[in-house]
Amino acid sequence: VIFIVGLGPGGEDEITPRAVQALEASDIIVGYKTYVDLLVSRLGHKKLIPFAMKQEIERCRQAAALALAGNNVALVSGGDAGVYGMAGPMLEVLDALEGNTKDLEVEIVPGVTSACSAAAILGAPLTHDFAVISLSDLLTPWTLIEKRLALAAEADFVICLYNPASRNRRDYLRRACEIIMNLRDGNTPSGWVRNAGRKGQAHKILPLSELKNEELDMLCTVVIGNSETKILRGRMVTPRGYKVEGSTP
Ligand code: SAH
């Protein structure tokens, strides 16, 4: 069996029981070093195979080979394994492999994606329609990213940004905010969360016009409200549309 497992944001208490079961049923666990390291204390008795960044396809091939040799293998991603994670590449690699991969059982185990873990820290910004956009242009042309930002802003989606910045892409967040601000007020409540559910967790709520100047990194998820999003009790809230009247408890 190959399990493709989302681990959630990183906290030991934020992984689902089903994901833990899949890891316990596995002989070998394959994944990014940071994620695999998080598992060591819990699953030290398993064979853990860490991978460096940018070796996704190689990692999938190795996982497939190990599974074909009769091992139960877990391929792990942070958050959800299907959201910018390993589920898609693994299925593509299996499809491309010749031979007896058809008999391999593949089970995909969902996890809490960063949009959800970040939103819970910021308040309730995703209570209405939202769009998730990655600012990473490693595999996606920047022109397409710009188009998606502009159209999501025009359609008044709450916008959640993954991969908001990296060493080589310091000004991407600023550029993204500028595109959105062409169509959305600079006072729109926005926020970022760094290391949700992990050591070093931090967050900030601020207007869109100020978000643009924040120095963020790959460990951050950004949420930009829609035209209705407001700040209540210091937290972002996007109204669903219910009529809420004051009452005495
Ligand atoms: N599969 C992952 C996303 C992988 S893309 C998921 O479902 O969450 C990597 C991006 O996810 C990072 O650049 C960041 O934007 C976000 N991310 C991952 N872990 C995070 C965490 N603990 N806190 C905040 N953002 C995180």
Side-chain angles (χ1 to χ4, degrees):
V1 185
I2 298 187
F3 298 101
I4 308 172
V5 184
L7 302 177
E12 283 220 29
D13 51 354
E14 289 178 297
I15 186 169
T16 68
R18 187 175 156 201
V20 173
Q21 275 169 25
L23 297 177
E24 279 170 357
S26 303
D27 308 302
I28 301 172
I29 298 173
V30 182
Y32 277 135
K33 202 173 170 328
T34 35
Y35 299 135
V36 170
D37 284 350
L38 288 170
L39 297 173
V40 169
S41 59
R42 184 194 277 265
L43 296 158
H45 55 292
K46 304 280 178 189
K47 185 168 181 209
L48 298 168
I49 304 184
F51 268 78
M53 287 278 254
K54 298 183 184 166
Q55 293 183 329
E56 287 80 4
I57 298 307
E58 207 177 303
R59 178 165 57 228
C60 289
R61 283 215 189 91
Q62 184 177 7
L66 291 165
L68 286 168
N71 300 289
N72 290 330
V73 179
L75 188 65
V76 302
S77 289
D80 182 86
V83 178
Y84 310 113
M86 297 314 298
M90 188 68 233
L91 293 175
E92 289 180 303
V93 162
L94 288 177
D95 184 63
L97 284 178
E98 323 240 302
N100 50 348
T101 61
K102 297 228 164 22
D103 303 331
L104 260 187
E105 210 186 306
V106 178
E107 183 178 330
I108 301 173
V109 181
V112 179
T113 191
S114 302
C116 297
S117 47
I121 292 162
L122 296 170
L126 307 183
T127 305
H128 216 298
D129 301 338
F130 64 100
V132 174
I133 300 174
S134 166
L135 296 192
S136 169
D137 64 352
L138 286 177
L139 300 169
T140 307
W142 178 253
T143 49
L144 179 59
I145 297 172
E146 283 191 332
K147 181 174 176 185
R148 288 185 175 156
L149 289 166
L151 292 175
E154 187 182 342
D156 203 26
F157 281 105
V158 174
I159 298 173
C160 198
L161 301 177
Y162 283 45
N163 299 299
S166 79
R167 238 163 296 146
N168 303 322
R169 301 184 285 112
R170 281 194 187 285
D171 65 331
Y172 282 27
L173 176 66
R174 183 183 54 71
R175 283 154 70 182
C177 288
E178 278 165 2
I179 290 166
I180 296 167
M181 268 196 294
N182 288 332
L183 297 135
R184 203 167 289 183
D185 199 279
N187 289 321
T188 303
S190 305
W192 57 258
V193 177
R194 176 180 285 119
N195 279 320
R198 293 187 195 149
K199 221 171 112 230
Q201 178 179 310
H203 75 279
K204 188 168 175 187
I205 293 176
L206 70 180
L208 175 56
S209 59
E210 291 174 25
L211 173 68
K212 143 174 114 102
N213 300 318
E214 293 292 288
E215 293 258 346
L216 302 185
D217 52 36
M218 296 294 279
L219 302 170
C220 299
T221 295
V222 168
V223 182
I224 297 167
N226 70 12
S227 61
E228 305 284 320
T229 303
K230 51 195 173 188
I231 305 287
L232 297 177
R233 311 177 64 144
R235 298 166 114 188
M236 291 174 72
V237 178
T238 303
R240 178 77 202 280
Y242 297 111
K243 204 163 174 207
V244 183
E245 275 158 8
S247 66
T248 36

